């Protein structure tokens, strides 16, 4: 695991965008796994700026997002589908048909999850997976538990995650209590993983990740079993 400690969030975002742009440069038709949440917004802004400067071309790139609330309409401004378009897709030249976000509107969420895993395989797997981390060590919505689930699946959100995400909603009661999430297997099968971690609130989760111990009580620690992980964090998360 390579760890890059940056002075600021801006520096962390620039580092992340550089690695993502290098991936697209190296393999223009690559498959990117993408995350939502506050953490990657700076990196997405950097990628948009690089696209506008003619430094990166997304026309052959395919993306798979990690997760989506369930149930939620795609046009709800709190859906991850909406978030990704607002922060990235609407500002770059990726064709809509190459964008994959789990659909929180479907009547059969289990089928949606099974189909998503099939599509990832049909596209040859994920070349570069971008991750954030929850304060409790979750990755995507694989929450701490006795057992983790390999396949993409429907899951409940923990109180801690609902509480953390309440900042985006008018009322905590509006936060959906379920989600569709990539399971541990498609994440761990990604050829390269980039995890971004910033802020004091993530210090405990980062420390567990870097301890080298593996536990389902901190799902991110599973990344210790992957052979190509880059952790980019800021000083606050690193030092606590
Ligand atoms: C989002 C996701 C989540 C977030 C995590 C951190 O797609 O998979 O695991 O990465 O909840 O969220 P922020 O960045 O808002 O602290």
């Amino acid at each position: 695991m390579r760890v890059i400690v940056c002075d600021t969030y801006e520096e962390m975002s620039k580092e992340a965008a550089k690695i993502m742009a290098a991936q697209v440069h190296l393999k223009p038709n690559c498959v990117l796994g993408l995350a939502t949440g506050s953490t990657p917004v700076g990196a997405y802004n950097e990628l948009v700026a690089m696209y506008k400067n003619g430094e990166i071309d997304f026309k052959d790139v395919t993306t798979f997002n990690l997760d989506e609330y369930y149930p939620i309409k795609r046009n709800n401004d709190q859906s991850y589908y909406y978030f990704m378009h607002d922060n990235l897709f609407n500002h770059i030249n990726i064709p809509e048909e190459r964008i994959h976000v789990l659909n929180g509107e479907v009547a059969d969420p289990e089928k949606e999850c099974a189909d998503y895993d099939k599509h990832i395989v049909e596209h040859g797997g994920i070349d570069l997976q971008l991750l954030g981390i929850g304060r409790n060590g979750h990755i995507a919505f694989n929450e701490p538990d006795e057992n983790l689930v390999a396949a993409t699946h429907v899951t409940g959100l923990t109180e801690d995650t609902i509480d953390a995400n309440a900042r985006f909603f008018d009322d905590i009661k509006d936060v959906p209590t379920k989600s569709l999430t990539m399971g541990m297997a498609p994440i761990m099968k990604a050829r390269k993983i980039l995890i971004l971690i910033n802020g004091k609130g993530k210090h405990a989760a980062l420390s567990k990740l870097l301890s080298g111990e593996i536990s389902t009580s901190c799902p991110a620690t599973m990344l210790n079993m992957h052979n190509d992980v880059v952790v980019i964090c800021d000083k606050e998360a690193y030092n606590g």
Side-chain angles (χ1 to χ4, degrees):
M1 197 170 323
R2 186 173 155 219
V3 184
I4 302 174
V5 184
C6 299
D7 283 336
T8 61
Y9 173 77
E10 288 69 30
E11 200 189 306
M12 179 188 85
S13 303
K14 283 203 171 98
E15 280 294 322
K18 254 197 270 173
I19 292 174
M20 294 174 78
Q23 171 66 65
V24 175
H25 192 57
L26 205 60
K27 186 177 175 191
N29 64 345
C30 65
V31 177
L32 299 179
L34 297 177
T36 55
S38 321
T39 310
V41 171
Y44 293 154
N45 289 342
E46 290 293 330
L47 288 173
V48 169
M50 289 169 108
Y51 167 70
K52 290 192 171 152
N53 284 335
E55 293 166 45
I56 180 168
D57 184 355
F58 290 93
K59 78 174 181 344
D60 295 321
V61 170
T62 295
T63 63
F64 283 91
N65 260 84
L66 284 170
D67 40 22
E68 177 60 285
Y69 289 120
Y70 188 81
I72 199 160
K73 294 274 182 216
R74 286 193 147 180
N75 65 6
N76 181 322
D77 63 7
Q78 291 309 325
S79 79
Y80 288 171
Y81 179 88
Y82 188 101
F83 173 100
M84 285 308 301
H85 283 76
D86 200 30
N87 285 286
L88 184 66
F89 300 146
N90 287 347
H91 313 288
I92 59 174
N93 65 336
I94 186 166
E96 180 66 29
E97 64 274 15
R98 290 187 178 276
I99 295 169
H100 302 86
V101 182
L102 283 153
N103 191 344
E105 297 189 10
V106 294
D108 186 346
E110 277 81 15
K111 180 176 182 311
E112 172 68 9
C113 292
D115 288 349
Y116 204 70
D117 277 343
K118 267 189 230 149
H119 289 145
I120 294 174
V121 172
E122 281 161 12
H123 282 84
I126 294 167
D127 290 298
L128 174 64
Q129 177 65 58
L130 179 68
L131 295 176
I133 191 172
R135 296 185 298 208
N136 61 5
H138 72 221
I139 50 175
F141 279 130
N142 296 285
E143 298 278 16
D145 209 338
E146 238 171 83
N147 299 298
L148 298 176
V149 181
T152 295
H153 59 282
V154 185
T155 185
L157 304 184
T158 61
E159 298 254 322
D160 188 58
T161 301
I162 292 171
D163 181 49
N165 290 1
R167 69 193 192 276
F168 300 117
F169 291 82
D170 293 335
D171 193 301
I172 192 162
K173 288 193 208 81
D174 298 335
V175 185
T177 53
K178 284 188 187 170
S179 75
L180 309 181
T181 181
M182 251 192 223
M184 296 304 291
I187 296 173
M188 293 297 285
K189 285 180 192 161
R191 286 180 269 283
K192 189 174 192 73
I193 295 178
L194 184 57
I195 181 163
L196 307 185
I197 308 176
N198 71 290
K200 275 195 199 318
K202 301 283 177 75
H203 174 66
L206 175 58
S207 302
K208 281 191 188 151
L209 171 62
L210 299 183
S211 73
E213 285 179 12
I214 293 165
S215 165
T216 59
S217 66
C218 180
T221 58
M222 297 289 150
L223 299 177
N224 281 292
M225 290 190 285
H226 193 282
N227 63 9
D228 194 353
V229 177
V230 180
V231 179
I232 312 185
C233 58
D234 70 354
K235 272 189 190 159
E236 292 201 336
Y238 192 74
N239 297 326

